[in-house]
Amino acid sequence: MKAVVLSKAYDPKTFEDRIYQRWMEKGLFAPEGEGSDPFTIVMPPPNVTGILHMGHALNNSLQDILTRYHRMKGRPTLWLPGTDHAGIATQNIVEREIAKEGLRRQDLGRERFLERTWLVKDRHHAIIKKQLEKIGSSCDWSRERFTMDEGLSHAVREAFVTLYERDLIYKGEYLVNYCPKCGTALADDEVEYQEVAGTLWNVRYPYSDGSGFITVATTRPETMFGDVAVAVNPTDERYTHLIGTMVSLPLTDREIPIIADSFVEKEFGTGMVKITPAHDPNDYQAGIRHNLERINVLNSDGTLNENVPAAYRGISAEKARVLVVKDLVDGGFITGEKEHNHEVGHCYRCHTIIEPYLSNQWFVRMQGMAEKALKAHQDGKVIFYPRRWENTYTHWLENIHDWCISRQLWWGHRIPVWECQACGERIVSREDPTACPACNSTDLRQETDVLDTWFSSWLWPFSTLGWPEKTSDLATFFPTSTLVTGYDIIFFWVSRMIMASLEFLGEVPFRDIYITGLVRDKQGRKMSKSLGNGIDPLEVVDQYGADAMKFTLCYMATQGQDILIDMDSFRLGSRFANKVWNATRFILMNLEGAELLDAETVPRNTLDRWIYHQLNNAARKIEQAMDSYKFNEGAQAVYDFFWNDFCDWYVESAKRNLYSDDAAEKSRQVTLLLDLLAQSMRLMHPFASFISDEIYSQLPNVSDELIMSTYPEWRDDLESATDALFVSRMQEAVSSIRALKADLSIPADRKVAVVIKVDDDFAATDFFVENQSLIASFMGASSLVIDDGADTKGAVPVAGTGYESFVFVGEAIDVKAEIAKLEGEVAKSEKALEAVRAKLGNEKFMTNAKAEAIEKEESKRAEFEEKIEKGKKHLALLASFL
RNA sequence: GGCCGGAUAGCUCAGCGGGAGAGCGAUUGCCUUACACGCAAUUGGUCGGGGGUUCAAAUCCCUCUCCGGUCACCA
């Protein structure tokens, strides 16, 4: 074979783009094979509003690892990518954009506004796709979807009409969360509560008969024009006599009754609450209980409307509050005010304070679907990793509210409902109607509202596969295997997907749900634009490479734990990749003159069997890790095997064979090294895809595509406990000599003579003898003699397990220091031995403990006894040097 | 207020019933013909406090303290 020359330095920039290009050209991301057990992931679609952040990088890295792993395991594997139209968020972006031109969306009109929005969508989509490619995502782009593409729009339409036909969709006037800035209703979950410093005012409401007044407490005096009653707790003895009497509403000429309702807390404020059904969720419910009128005092833009005295009309609620308070003070109605912190709802998109607002909206009845989703979980049809997130899921479903799905936006799926202007007939239809089925009028008007973005997202696992058509993709890949997502959207999305799948297909959409942690900065803060502490995935790729990023994230992805990182964190993956590169470079530069043999049949010595044993164990560890979604353990197994076993010991031990004059031996060694390299690349490909591919494609012993090659499986015949024991004894012997040398400040390149004396029952004697020169070079020994009769006069003794080493260090030794050190070690062993003996002498331990625990204690006893015995002997020896 | 999570080496975290681990950092020695993004060695911990269960507890139970998350109708 000819040597293969790799560039001197690991430089991911020189090959990552090229390799991704090749994967794409060869169509290697498309599902392959006829297996009956496909592996499918649908990518949580990123919003087309921005660029991917570190959270996306984590998510998609883990999905890529799963995808590549299962693909190599031979399953037909599909990772389906796509993006989300993100109704409010995207519309906000466009509105901000046109605002710079001094325009509002109304100025453009619906059609032109949407044209601009599509342009924004295209722009962001291109960026997102580029980013996913840069980080190496092996998703099948030929199946990419968008929540507003034709097929998905069709699915949305089908879902809406089906639910309507099943009487699960209704329209009505309800109090909903309304964002005055975005100008639309929001679902309950889209409201974020934040503590706000407010004021609690005590306001006098005079009795109608002029005989005095009551005092109510309120944080929102400006809504008093919508008051229709004052409520007290029915058991509140201070006020029971007042129930049924009337008070007059200040600043107006209206009179309202005092009513009793148990929701009122006696202790809070004055124990009297003004009831404003059109502007407070509690009051709304109370209004229903007492059959009260609902007086809406707000316009949709958050200003006061015609239901308030003229002086306040058209003024924003915030400003009106100041005015109202001033007027109340002037009128002598305010009797007190105090600071009051309370939770106030904010829009999750623009953070404006939410108004509870009475309006006509569309809702989905959730109760029945929620029950089915709960049952599916109880029956074990979906499993959360980590387990604890199931509480979030079940708690939300057990307290489900009907889902407000109408949004007063333009960007989204327009609600497929028409109203006949002639007869008022409502038409809900899969096809756009042309005439009213009741009166034949053609004067039909479609709903102007669009659907909540999540109304398309909740269909994602099957709409992307072609539903409602019965496509072969749907038949093959649904239900999908695993969902990888963050915990912030368990109710927004995860539980709704489960409900939709059960409702429309009668099956759960996926079995495993892996919930990732959040990516935070080193101080544990969320990465955010406002803090400026975010890390751009592309910058990481630019600085360290895509493999370094994926490997590092995976290595740190402990189940259930947030990930704290900064730019430097990625050095972990980068260093590993560099190590892989250089180890490979070294092996490939030494091929010259060697003949490639059959790695399976070439003779293997102890070290060879040992490294295959370690490789085998790594494969098993990774399999266990992947099956239980312990990504960090998988990455760690790869890292430890390649670095600590393969590079530090095996490749080092192979050097003498590579430099050997014995051509047969060199060929044998090269063959094994190349095989181990190929297997290592397979092992690490899911975790470090580009570098493994770049190397694999240059190996002379393989010619297939790494991405499609077979993942190493655990093999019984590669297990070799004896060889593993031998090598660990060698490692112990080598380390102890290196430590002694370092301890005595003997430079590594100054060789010392070493003698090893083995115990009669030492199993690795032959192995030690056969590898004498290798062990000597590992130790930095000028000579190594393995002979029980050798003269060790003047040598420093070092204890080993089953043998003793004697090192001729000459003048270097500080006998007193060595004695002190050894005394410490012996004392430690004696203490440990004492504990072990106590255990073994404990009757309860002997009767209760498992047999293997007792066995282990016994072997510990032997081990400590050996250490102490040798230690004492060595102490005596050292003492004689003085 | 309810529920959940975390508290282990200077830092970030694994381990979750049988002898305290990794990476980074620090210290020391080495440019040993793959790698100084390296090699070798060393340092470093009453596993948050208290109690209990057990032959055995960082690991299970109770309790307290401190951080974090999440849900909830206190006007």
Side-chain angles (χ1 to χ4, degrees):
Chain A
M1 279 181 290
K2 288 261 179 247
V4 176
V5 182
L6 291 190
S7 65
K8 179 136 174 65
Y10 162 65
D11 183 4
K13 279 203 184 96
T14 60
F15 55 79
E16 289 190 347
D17 288 347
R18 162 168 53 80
I19 287 173
Y20 196 85
Q21 202 59 37
R22 195 189 83 240
W23 287 335
M24 291 281 279
E25 277 160 15
K26 290 194 164 184
L28 297 173
F29 301 154
E32 187 77 27
E34 295 297 310
S36 57
D37 184 25
F39 181 83
T40 314
I41 295 182
V42 288
M43 178 188 292
N47 290 344
V48 286
T49 47
I51 57 171
L52 302 189
H53 50 67
M54 237 27 237
H56 291 113
L58 170 66
N59 253 293
N60 288 298
S61 290
L62 299 183
Q63 291 176 66
D64 191 45
I65 288 164
L66 287 172
T67 301
R68 288 177 188 273
Y69 173 76
H70 287 289
R71 189 186 286 129
M72 289 177 73
K73 283 279 185 180
R75 299 168 70 178
T77 298
L78 171 63
W79 181 19
L80 192 152
T83 45
D84 193 303
H85 69 279
I88 303 180
T90 310
Q91 177 156 330
N92 281 351
I93 286 182
V94 180
E95 287 187 335
R96 273 203 300 274
E97 216 176 85
I98 62 174
K100 284 178 196 156
E101 300 159 26
L103 295 170
R104 293 170 311 135
R105 66 170 144 147
Q106 289 79 3
D107 300 331
L108 288 179
R110 190 164 189 143
E111 211 166 305
R112 280 179 58 208
F113 181 81
L114 287 179
E115 277 168 22
R116 295 231 14 188
T117 312
W118 278 100
L119 290 179
V120 168
K121 177 258 164 188
D122 289 341
R123 199 168 71 215
H124 284 123
H125 170 264
I127 298 172
I128 289 167
K129 184 169 183 212
K130 187 83 224 149
Q131 284 181 300
L132 287 169
E133 290 171 359
K134 269 278 179 193
I135 67 174
S137 314
S138 67
C139 45
D140 183 359
W141 292 108
S142 72
R143 285 176 166 85
E144 185 189 0
R145 304 306 295 266
F146 175 58
T147 48
M148 272 172 67
D149 67 24
E150 201 181 323
L152 267 64
S153 299
H154 180 46
V156 165
R157 182 88 168 245
E158 176 67 26
F160 186 95
V161 177
T162 303
L163 291 178
Y164 188 81
E165 287 168 352
R166 292 179 187 174
D167 193 28
L168 292 174
I169 283 188
Y170 62 93
K171 185 185 193 182
E173 186 181 58
Y174 292 91
L175 194 65
V176 296
N177 310 292
Y178 191 84
C179 173
K181 175 129 183 268
C182 298
T184 181
L186 298 173
D188 292 343
D189 329 273
E190 289 172 325
V191 178
E192 288 175 352
Y193 288 87
Q194 288 165 23
E195 194 168 275
V196 165
T199 309
L200 187 66
W201 284 278
N202 284 348
V203 184
R204 281 177 176 174
Y205 284 20
Y207 293 123
S208 295
D209 62 9
S211 63
F213 51 81
I214 59 163
T215 305
V216 301
T218 181
T219 55
R220 301 202 52 194
E222 76 279 10
T223 64
M224 64 180 286
F225 306 115
D227 288 6
V228 293
V230 169
V232 299
N233 190 296
T235 64
D236 192 336
E237 288 170 8
R238 293 174 295 175
Y239 304 131
T240 42
H241 65 286
L242 295 174
I243 296 165
T245 59
M246 302 294 283
V247 294
S248 61
L249 193 59
L251 311 181
T252 73
D253 50 12
R254 277 202 297 126
E255 296 194 346
I256 56 176
I258 296 177
I259 60 170
D261 197 296
S262 54
F263 95 93
V264 179
E265 300 278 336
K266 286 186 263 188
E267 283 72 33
F268 189 86
T270 60
M272 288 190 147
V273 189
K274 65 192 205 62
I275 301 296
T276 322
H279 296 284
D280 182 276
N282 282 318
D283 296 3
Y284 180 79
Q285 292 301 329
I288 290 172
R289 284 195 293 274
H290 298 277
N291 198 21
L292 299 171
E293 194 191 349
R294 298 194 276 258
I295 303 175
N296 182 2
V297 301
L298 289 177
N299 293 310
S300 64
D301 61 359
T303 60
L304 271 60
N305 67 14
E306 69 284 357
N307 290 331
V308 308
Y312 309 109
R313 287 177 198 163
I315 298 171
S316 78
E318 207 180 332
K319 285 181 182 152
R321 181 179 302 171
V322 179
L323 280 180
V324 169
V325 168
K326 183 176 177 296
D327 292 344
L328 286 170
V329 168
D330 290 349
F333 294 107
I334 300 257
T335 60
E337 63 172 79
K338 62 172 184 180
E339 285 179 17
H340 177 67
N341 295 336
H342 57 147
E343 298 281 310
V344 176
H346 293 70
C347 174
Y348 82 131
R349 281 300 169 201
C350 71
H351 304 291
T352 304
I353 290 180
I354 290 298
E355 281 294 341
Y357 186 64
L358 200 59
S359 54
N360 267 302
Q361 304 288 346
W362 289 88
F363 293 86
V364 180
R365 277 184 234 287
M366 302 303 281
Q367 193 63 42
M369 283 190 259
E371 280 161 17
K372 283 187 233 166
L374 277 168
K375 182 161 190 315
H377 171 257
Q378 270 162 21
D379 294 347
K381 300 221 167 87
V382 289
I383 300 171
F384 283 87
Y385 296 86
R387 207 66 204 237
R388 65 186 148 91
W389 291 111
E390 66 191 18
N391 295 329
T392 306
Y393 173 80
T394 54
H395 181 260
W396 186 76
L397 287 171
E398 281 162 1
N399 297 283
I400 193 99
H401 300 289
D402 279 356
W403 175 18
C404 175
I405 51 169
S406 45
R407 296 288 181 276
Q408 290 69 54
L409 305 171
W410 287 350
W411 177 241
H413 303 276
R414 199 155 162 186
I415 293 178
V417 176
W418 286 258
E419 195 174 286
C420 174
Q421 300 301 294
C423 72
E425 175 82 359
R426 175 185 288 170
I427 306 153
V428 178
S429 167
R430 287 178 176 80
E431 306 297 332
D432 288 5
T434 50
C436 173
C439 72
N440 244 336
S441 162
T442 54
D443 188 8
L444 307 178
R445 218 180 69 194
Q446 188 177 1
E447 274 282 348
T448 53
D449 287 0
V450 301
L451 289 163
D452 179 7
T453 300
W454 298 104
F455 195 89
S456 52
S457 317
W458 77 327
L459 312 174
W460 190 250
F462 46 93
S463 62
T464 50
L465 294 170
W467 186 87
E469 308 313 322
K470 291 187 168 58
T471 60
S472 74
D473 267 10
L474 189 64
T476 308
F477 298 110
F478 186 89
T480 69
S481 311
T482 305
L483 177 76
V484 178
T485 190
Y487 53 73
D488 47 337
I489 51 176
I490 289 177
F491 6 89
F492 274 138
W493 196 45
V494 179
S495 40
R496 284 188 187 143
M497 281 192 285
I498 293 170
M499 289 190 276
S501 290
L502 289 168
E503 185 65 30
F504 298 116
L505 290 119
E507 281 185 275
V508 294
F510 30 69
R511 179 193 155 80
D512 294 343
I513 303 163
Y514 182 83
I515 302 294
T516 65
L518 242 48
V519 181
R520 299 170 176 279
D521 72 7
K522 280 279 182 190
Q523 280 108 59
R525 300 172 307 178
K526 234 172 167 166
M527 288 190 175
S528 71
K529 272 183 204 157
S530 52
L531 277 173
N533 60 345
I535 297 175
D536 179 359
L538 283 191
E539 230 172 90
V540 178
V541 172
D542 186 55
Q543 195 165 332
Y544 296 108
D547 286 333
M549 182 168 78
K550 182 162 72 168
F551 191 86
T552 304
L553 288 172
C554 181
Y555 194 92
M556 301 182 87
T558 312
Q559 216 176 78
Q561 230 12 66
D562 286 348
I563 298 178
L564 275 56
I565 47 157
D566 59 17
M567 205 63 188
D568 277 352
S569 306
F570 296 99
R571 284 172 54 207
L572 170 73
S574 176
R575 284 171 58 251
F576 180 63
N578 184 255
K579 187 71 181 178
V580 171
W581 184 262
N582 280 295
T584 305
R585 193 164 83 92
F586 171 68
I587 292 167
L588 295 187
M589 68 173 56
N590 283 291
L591 303 182
E592 199 71 47
E595 187 189 344
L596 185 63
L597 309 169
D598 177 3
E600 282 293 321
T601 57
V602 108
R604 293 182 187 181
N605 62 34
T606 295
L607 278 155
D608 304 326
R609 288 192 298 272
W610 165 77
I611 193 65
Y612 277 97
H613 171 91
Q614 297 297 88
L615 174 83
N616 202 31
N617 277 310
R620 177 163 56 186
K621 273 186 212 158
I622 294 165
E623 180 171 333
Q624 286 166 351
M626 288 293 114
D627 286 350
S628 53
Y629 297 99
K630 294 186 174 171
F631 291 97
N632 59 318
E633 290 182 10
Q636 221 166 112
V638 170
Y639 185 101
D640 289 346
F641 166 74
F642 194 85
W643 203 317
N644 300 335
D645 293 333
F646 186 63
C647 291
D648 288 350
W649 293 97
Y650 190 76
V651 175
E652 287 305 319
S653 77
K655 280 182 176 171
R656 62 192 172 139
N657 300 331
L658 291 180
Y659 304 146
S660 165
D661 294 334
D662 180 345
E665 179 57 19
K666 177 165 182 177
S667 295
R668 194 192 68 83
Q669 185 63 75
V670 163
T671 297
L672 290 176
L673 281 170
L674 286 174
D675 183 55
L676 286 160
L677 213 44
Q679 302 237 40
S680 298
M681 293 310 115
R682 292 187 187 142
L683 213 57
M684 74 175 66
H685 182 255
F687 307 94
S689 308
F690 287 112
I691 186 175
S692 54
D693 189 289
E694 174 67 1
I695 288 170
Y696 195 83
S697 65
Q698 297 188 59
L699 295 180
N701 54 327
V702 286
S703 56
D704 54 343
E705 277 288 351
L706 176 58
I707 189 171
M708 304 302 292
S709 69
T710 305
Y711 204 78
E713 300 253 356
W714 187 79
R715 278 166 51 178
D716 188 48
D717 65 303
L718 292 178
E719 276 296 286
S720 188
T722 315
D723 296 305
L725 178 76
F726 288 0
V727 172
S728 76
R729 291 290 181 261
M730 176 190 79
Q731 290 172 329
E732 180 202 50
V734 169
S735 294
S736 66
I737 304 304
R738 285 172 176 172
L740 179 77
K741 284 181 69 181
D743 199 30
L744 299 178
S745 299
I746 301 170
D749 59 351
R750 223 194 79 203
K751 312 271 171 146
V752 293
V754 178
V755 170
I756 289 181
K757 298 188 174 183
V758 299
D759 297 352
D760 293 341
D761 56 354
F762 184 57
T765 306
D766 290 347
F767 169 63
F768 272 40
V769 170
E770 282 159 21
N771 291 281
Q772 217 158 338
S773 69
L774 172 69
I775 296 172
S777 75
F778 270 139
M779 286 172 168
S782 52
S783 69
L784 174 63
V785 175
I786 300 168
D787 177 1
D788 291 351
D791 180 15
T792 56
K793 198 167 183 315
V796 177
V798 181
T801 308
Y803 60 90
E804 295 165 275
S805 309
F806 296 87
V807 188
F808 293 88
V809 299
E811 299 303 311
I813 189 168
D814 178 346
V815 177
K816 278 184 186 161
E818 281 306 302
I819 287 177
K821 196 177 142 201
L822 193 47
E823 273 173 345
E825 278 166 20
V826 170
K828 211 170 142 193
S829 293
E830 278 175 334
K831 207 175 153 196
L833 178 62
E834 206 178 316
V836 171
R837 280 191 173 143
K839 258 192 184 175
L840 289 168
N842 183 337
E843 221 173 283
K844 283 183 176 171
F845 174 74
M846 298 304 283
T847 49
N848 290 327
K850 284 176 283 184
E852 54 189 81
I854 295 175
E855 236 169 78
K856 200 165 179 191
E857 290 303 314
E858 274 164 352
S859 76
K860 269 157 67 180
R861 176 170 61 185
E863 194 186 311
F864 290 132
E865 281 171 349
E866 183 187 344
K867 269 192 184 156
I868 293 164
E869 187 205 320
K870 283 180 178 156
K872 283 186 172 164
K873 202 172 78 188
H874 294 166
L875 277 172
L877 202 58
L878 286 169
S880 72
F881 292 180
L882 289 171

